Amino acid sequence: MAGVNMSLGTEATISPDHTDVTNSSWLLNRTVPERNGSVQVTGSAVKECTQISIPTEVYLILAGISLLENLLVIIAVIKNRNLHSPMYFFICSLAISDILLSLTKAWEAVTISVISGKEHLFTHVLIKILDDIYDSLLCISFTASVFNLAAITTDRYITIFHALRYHNIMTKKRVAVIIAAIWIFCTFTGIIMISFAKYDGIVSFFFILFFITLVLILSLYIFIFLLAQVHAKQIRSLPGYRAHQRTNFKGALRLTILLGIFIVCWAPFSLHFTLYLFCPSNPYCACFICLFQVDLIFIMCHSIIDPLIYAFQNPELCNTFKKMLCCFKRHA
Amino acid sequence: MSEASAVANKTTVSNSDYIWRYEYYDDEPVSFEGLKAHKYSIVIGFWVGLAVFVIFMFFILTLLTKTGAPHQENVDLSTKQHRTNSFAINYIMSRSDKAFSHRENEEPRSLFHCYVNEIVQLERQQFVNKAHGAGNSDLTTRGREGRSDSSDDPMNCLTKFNIPNFVSSDQSSSLTEDDLLMCEQPIIPENKPDRLQDIHNISD
């Protein structure tokens, strides 16, 4: 009976029962006897909540799409000098964290599918180290993603509410310092979280982080939205103006999509760790915990949708991207 | 969290194989006997709750937009005015062409910049009105003036739009919003050439 490893999504376990190691059994056979003692005890796999596993191909496809989109964003920002402003630097930083997330996840999936069945070729230490490295990188990219989203929201807030002093507040040097601080803190956090993964407090740290960032993003966007309504009312109150509810509706829809996607993609992962902390042996919690890989898929989807809602909503960036495509077509 | 001790115990087993896969084990076996509700009830409840929350949030936001119901609905279907409101929302939501950060704008989007500028002017005018206790008429005049001017003279809007850039990129970083507004005092809305002159005076 193997122990528990709280590394993110992977587990380096030592199983005394080596009968099922012949091929990539983890993909096919999920009800291996030693996995869960209760299976042997009850003997019925029907009532069990087994770990839902996602094939490696799905990870690779999602990672490929995310890599492509975020690379396009970064290249577009680099090529167009008009886009060298704080807002786009934050979007670039978000794109980098999304690339790191997708690449790490894809590499981990590939490594697992390669190694499973051939464990005897690799030393235990090597596999453990690889496992830790992948988990640290995932942790770093998760926290960086969340912090970059918060930074983008704060930047938009300052743009709206301190419009006249924006240039003094967001100098290029300050932006560089902020982005560097985010990445250094995330690297530090990721390494610490994996090194001390056996302590419960570390797991709750991620949930607290997500919750604080969610509250921050929600409140900032609500403020921005309220100000937009105030402006809209002012413009509407001018004579000779006819109200168009449709545009306000579109604003509300856009904000709902933005916040909704963030919540939908990150909440399952955070709830997973919360349930793992507080009720790991509860059968209901265990069934949610078994859906861990689905949670990871949602986070990868978030890294795919991020460029669409943050970067490509921007006409300037879209135009740059179209020019790049036209140039590429002309050369090809 | 991690059962490092349990793993450490297993290292003593000599004929063990290292398996690396996506799995979670529990300390004690999870008994699935005697479940009152469906075993995926937390999963279903979570996703339903999330969907309800998102829809609720959407309705709240839509309600916020509808509370400002227009008092007068004119038959005049001015597309410019429509674009004003849509740009008010889109400007704040998308922050696409922040001419705050660019002095030169090769993109031919002067109308958009004008409407963005209009919002900034409205804000500034409100500050000025508060400071001097002026009525809403100034706001109305300025707003109307801004719109009609913007359609006639795009260059005017582009020059106006550079005001925050020029003033804030000044050496005195201690400029507050009040200082900026004081600088803007001499600008008279009605007289267009004078306004251009004042703008150039500020920028120089």
Side-chain angles (χ1 to χ4, degrees):
Chain A
M1 182 67 187
V4 180
N5 188 344
M6 269 310 293
S7 52
L8 294 170
T10 66
E11 170 171 330
T13 66
I14 303 174
S15 161
D17 185 1
H18 51 269
T19 54
D20 59 340
V21 192
T22 48
N23 45 14
S24 54
S25 56
W26 68 277
L27 267 177
L28 314 164
N29 182 12
R30 279 175 263 119
T31 55
V32 279
E34 84 278 358
R35 261 192 75 238
N36 205 324
S38 65
V39 180
Q40 278 176 327
V41 170
T42 61
S44 65
V46 180
K47 292 177 75 169
E48 268 297 301
C49 278
T50 55
Q51 180 86 213
I52 307 285
S53 70
I54 308 281
T56 313
E57 291 81 14
V58 174
Y59 284 119
L60 286 177
I61 291 172
L62 291 177
I65 298 173
S66 168
L67 181 69
L68 188 69
E69 282 182 0
N70 288 294
L71 266 181
L72 280 172
V73 168
I74 294 175
I75 291 171
V77 170
I78 290 174
K79 283 188 89 147
N80 189 351
R81 294 195 65 80
N82 276 348
L83 301 177
H84 289 187
S85 72
M87 179 173 82
Y88 296 101
F89 289 152
F90 286 125
I91 289 179
C92 255
S93 182
L94 179 68
I96 291 173
S97 68
D98 285 340
I99 286 177
L100 182 68
L101 199 153
S102 337
L103 278 183
T104 310
K105 204 66 215 139
W107 272 114
E108 190 183 38
V110 166
T111 312
I112 288 180
S113 67
V114 162
I115 282 185
S116 66
K118 303 191 191 67
E119 283 88 351
H120 54 279
L121 295 175
F122 304 93
T123 60
H124 299 172
V125 175
L126 175 68
I127 293 180
K128 181 89 174 59
I129 287 176
L130 267 180
D131 187 22
D132 280 344
I133 287 175
Y134 280 130
D135 290 339
S136 303
L137 282 175
L138 273 180
C139 213
I140 292 169
S141 61
F142 288 160
T143 44
S145 235
V146 168
F147 278 139
N148 282 321
L149 288 169
I152 289 176
T153 312
T154 313
D155 175 67
R156 285 183 177 178
Y157 178 84
I158 294 176
T159 306
I160 305 298
F161 283 88
H162 302 279
L164 299 174
R165 284 182 296 153
Y166 179 78
H167 268 298
N168 292 336
I169 298 174
M170 283 287 189
T171 56
K172 284 210 170 151
K173 192 175 150 207
R174 224 171 256 180
V175 169
V177 164
I178 290 171
I179 292 179
I182 286 175
W183 280 101
I184 289 172
F185 178 74
C186 292
T187 310
F188 185 69
T189 309
I191 294 174
I192 294 286
M193 270 175 84
I194 298 305
S195 309
F196 298 101
K198 55 182 183 286
Y199 298 115
D200 281 350
I202 300 291
V203 178
S204 58
F205 171 76
F206 187 84
F207 174 71
I208 293 170
L209 175 78
F210 168 77
F211 193 70
I212 290 174
T213 315
L214 174 68
V215 166
L216 175 79
I217 290 178
L218 262 174
S219 47
L220 288 179
Y221 272 124
I222 298 285
F223 278 140
I224 293 175
F225 185 77
L226 289 175
L227 183 67
Q229 297 314 304
V230 165
H231 278 273
K233 274 181 217 167
Q234 281 175 357
I235 293 168
R236 268 201 297 256
S237 65
L238 298 171
Y241 175 76
R242 185 185 153 165
H244 291 268
Q245 293 286 343
R246 203 170 47 89
T247 52
N248 289 341
F249 174 79
K250 269 163 67 175
L253 186 67
R254 277 186 73 174
L255 184 60
T256 309
I257 288 174
L258 205 141
L259 292 173
I261 283 179
F262 176 71
I263 294 171
V264 163
C265 290
W266 283 96
F269 185 72
S270 306
L271 184 65
H272 175 275
F273 280 110
T274 315
L275 291 181
Y276 190 88
L277 267 182
F278 291 115
C279 58
S281 52
N282 188 329
Y284 301 111
C285 299
C287 282
F288 190 92
I289 288 171
C290 286
L291 296 178
F292 181 69
Q293 292 194 46
V294 178
D295 303 338
L296 293 178
I297 292 290
F298 272 104
I299 294 182
M300 287 186 82
C301 287
H302 182 71
S303 75
I304 291 175
I305 298 172
D306 259 349
L308 298 176
I309 56 179
Y310 281 99
F312 291 128
Q313 290 294 322
N314 216 300
E316 175 100 37
L317 208 143
C318 261
N319 289 339
T320 314
F321 171 62
K322 281 175 196 160
K323 279 182 207 160
M324 273 165 47
L325 266 186
C326 291
C327 286
F328 181 72
K329 274 186 195 159
R330 239 179 270 136
H331 286 309
Chain B
M1 189 169 137
S2 160
E3 291 300 303
S5 55
V7 174
N9 285 339
K10 298 295 179 293
T11 53
T12 58
V13 181
S14 53
N15 290 333
S16 58
D17 287 328
Y18 222 83
I19 302 173
W20 186 3
R21 50 188 168 190
Y22 293 103
E23 277 166 8
Y24 271 94
Y25 300 161
D26 290 328
D27 289 341
E28 54 270 7
V30 180
S31 157
F32 280 82
E33 294 294 325
L35 288 183
K36 294 192 214 64
H38 191 261
K39 57 181 180 175
Y40 281 113
S41 54
I42 286 190
V43 177
I44 296 169
F46 170 74
W47 283 109
V48 167
L50 209 59
V52 164
F53 174 73
V54 172
I55 293 172
F56 176 71
M57 186 172 62
F58 174 67
F59 278 130
I60 294 283
L61 291 175
T62 319
L63 205 68
L64 279 174
T65 67
K66 279 191 172 28
T67 49
H71 301 295
Q72 39 181 326
E73 289 222 10
N74 280 348
V75 196
D76 175 30
L77 266 172
S78 171
T79 53
K80 270 194 298 187
Q81 288 153 351
H82 163 70
R83 225 178 290 151
T84 307
N85 191 27
S86 73
F87 276 131
I89 307 293
N90 287 335
Y91 159 70
I92 288 165
M93 292 309 296
S94 68
R95 299 294 301 118
S96 59
D97 286 306
K98 269 174 41 184
F100 286 131
S101 42
H102 308 299
R103 296 184 177 197
E104 65 281 356
N105 287 300
E106 60 232 15
E107 297 283 325
R109 298 174 63 85
S110 53
L111 263 172
F112 171 66
H113 291 156
C114 294
Y115 291 124
V116 164
N117 187 33
E118 192 179 327
I119 293 162
V120 176
Q121 298 281 9
L122 280 173
E123 276 184 312
R124 283 198 217 126
Q125 196 59 34
Q126 275 184 320
F127 276 117
V128 172
N129 289 342
K130 272 187 217 163
H132 293 278
N136 266 343
S137 55
D138 287 339
L139 180 75
T140 317
T141 317
R142 192 156 179 82
R144 219 186 294 134
E145 192 65 29
R147 272 210 310 283
S148 56
D149 280 341
S150 61
S151 59
D152 298 334
D153 191 3
M155 269 308 297
N156 180 24
C157 289
L158 283 176
T159 350
K160 270 198 297 178
F161 204 64
N162 284 328
I163 291 175
N165 219 1
F166 279 106
V167 179
S168 63
S169 62
D170 209 10
Q171 63 277 3
S172 57
S173 58
S174 59
L175 271 179
T176 62
E177 280 172 357
D178 291 335
D179 290 338
L180 289 168
L181 291 166
M182 297 303 282
C183 294
E184 308 254 295
Q185 282 280 311
I187 296 173
I188 303 162
E190 291 82 20
N191 205 347
K192 209 169 54 172
D194 281 347
R195 182 162 34 172
L196 273 176
Q197 189 103 33
D198 290 324
I199 288 161
H200 289 305
N201 286 341
I202 290 168
S203 61
D204 290 338

